[in-house]
Amino acid sequence: MADFDTIYEEGEDEEPIPDDLMITVPDPIVVRGGGNVTIFGLSNKFDTEFPPGLSAKVAPEEFKATMTRLNSVLKKALPVNVKWLFCGCVCCCCTLGCSLWPVVCLSKRTRHAIEKCLDWENSHLYHKLGLHFRLSKQRCDSSSMMEYVLLIEFIPKVPIFRPD
């Protein structure tokens, strides 16, 4: 009766998965901002050069069209952000930093617009090709500052002929 409350775990002997059934996914491709103005980590344009890791996955014209759409979103939003940042910096001493809030909100709105554009691109084209584009924050190579980059991740294919 002493081990009435004792809980025993039954150890199942699981066999290791063979290497031929393992799904390997390549590392994501990083597309950095290529503009000359960066506000809160968001550059004013992304590089439109076709990454070699995407060859045989997506056509260069489709990739360039996606980058053009994203750059048009940035082209519309960032000049407004720069004007508000300048006004916020001029009035910062008088407003105790509150004049920078419009820039923060506009930057967040720009990020959401880019993510919305990427979601549309993913659902209409890239998920069908086994790719997923997303906006991600990464540390810069040259300094400890953070920047937003595009990550192109490969979606692993589900082996439907493999037994459970």
Side-chain angles (χ1 to χ4, degrees):
M1 201 68 173
D3 47 331
F4 177 73
D5 294 340
T6 307
I7 299 173
Y8 295 103
E9 289 186 28
E10 293 184 21
E12 294 181 17
D13 296 332
E14 293 184 12
E15 297 177 16
I17 299 173
D19 289 339
D20 59 343
L21 296 178
M22 295 287 288
I23 300 172
T24 58
V25 178
D27 291 333
I29 297 171
V30 178
V31 178
R32 298 200 177 278
N36 53 1
V37 176
T38 302
I39 298 177
F40 293 113
L42 196 58
S43 183
N44 66 335
K45 70 176 185 173
F46 284 107
D47 194 15
T48 58
E49 183 180 333
F50 187 72
L54 287 181
S55 60
K57 291 278 187 186
V58 66
E61 296 83 18
E62 292 172 338
F63 178 79
K64 186 170 177 139
T66 300
M67 292 296 114
T68 304
R69 283 188 202 95
L70 291 175
N71 287 339
S72 70
V73 170
L74 289 170
K75 188 177 181 181
K76 286 183 223 171
L78 254 16
V80 176
N81 290 8
V82 169
K83 291 174 188 172
W84 276 102
L85 180 63
F86 180 71
C87 292
C89 288
V90 168
C91 302
C92 189
C93 296
C94 300
T95 61
L96 301 175
C98 292
S99 58
L100 293 175
W101 274 109
V103 183
V104 173
C105 294
L106 286 172
S107 178
K108 188 174 182 179
R109 190 171 86 180
T110 304
R111 279 195 325 265
H112 285 301
I114 291 173
E115 288 169 353
K116 187 176 178 180
C117 183
L118 287 174
D119 287 342
W120 187 88
E121 292 284 338
N122 283 331
S123 65
H124 284 81
L125 175 67
Y126 292 110
H127 282 178
K128 296 172 187 171
L129 299 174
L131 299 171
H132 180 77
F133 278 53
R134 72 180 177 98
L135 192 64
S136 176
K137 190 184 276 191
Q138 286 189 352
R139 192 168 300 280
C140 292
D141 293 336
S142 59
S143 66
S144 63
M145 296 178 66
M146 301 292 280
E147 70 174 339
Y148 284 97
V149 296
L150 284 177
L151 279 182
I152 305 170
E153 299 170 333
F154 296 92
I155 301 173
K157 293 183 179 179
V158 179
I160 58 173
F161 296 116
R162 188 179 78 182
D164 289 339

